[in-house]
Amino acid sequence: MDSKSLQAHAKRVALEMPFTEHCWPFGPEYDVFKVGGKIFMLMATAHGRPHVSLKSDPEKSLLNQQIYRGVEPGYHLNKKHWISLYGTEDITPELVADLIADSWNLVVDKLPKKDQKWIRPV
């Protein structure tokens, strides 16, 4: 998946997640996606390389970095809890959707229980 397709697909998937807010708190060059007021995805271009950054479980993060060339530690973020995706042939639309869902769920899991109930009703 090339960089432009990666970002376009990631944006579509993120906006389909319940209660997602798309905003630009760091300026127009940073697309920020939040749930419950907390960031779960950022998109930007750094050094000419478009990327998508996501929250990630530390163990899954290390595993994904070993498996996929397009998964690196989070660019300008906590390297333990964030990953950045870059357009490479081993990054698939399904992988991107799964990683976005993981990120969204990690953020929702940290919200107060009352917020979790209306964001993710059972």
Side-chain angles (χ1 to χ4, degrees):
M1 176 174 252
D2 67 59
S3 297
K4 285 189 182 209
S5 300
L6 168 66
Q7 286 192 326
H9 179 66
K11 181 178 180 178
R12 274 193 309 276
V13 171
L15 290 173
E16 289 173 1
M17 301 301 292
F19 301 101
T20 293
E21 173 192 359
H22 183 198
C23 56
W24 299 265
F26 309 121
E29 59 276 357
Y30 297 97
D31 283 275
V32 175
F33 298 82
K34 297 180 179 183
V35 62
K38 303 290 183 187
I39 298 171
F40 72 93
M41 185 173 99
L42 295 115
M43 288 192 322
T45 300
H47 307 293
R49 293 177 72 201
H51 63 88
V52 174
S53 294
L54 301 162
K55 295 271 299 185
S56 183
D57 172 77
E59 289 181 16
K60 278 187 180 179
S61 171
L62 291 172
L63 183 62
N64 283 328
Q65 289 174 54
Q66 292 173 348
I67 296 171
Y68 303 103
R69 265 188 342 105
V71 178
E72 297 180 14
Y75 180 78
H76 271 293
L77 297 162
N78 180 307
K79 308 290 187 229
K80 183 176 179 182
H81 296 282
W82 286 84
I83 55 173
S84 289
L85 308 180
Y86 295 90
T88 59
E89 64 280 346
D90 60 350
I91 300 298
T92 64
E94 296 80 18
L95 175 65
V96 173
D98 287 347
L99 293 173
I100 291 170
D102 286 350
S103 180
W104 187 90
N105 280 302
L106 282 170
V107 170
V108 172
D109 289 345
K110 296 288 184 185
L111 295 174
K113 296 287 184 209
K114 66 178 177 62
D115 293 340
Q116 289 182 38
K117 285 182 181 175
W118 64 265
I119 290 173
R120 205 172 29 202
V122 178

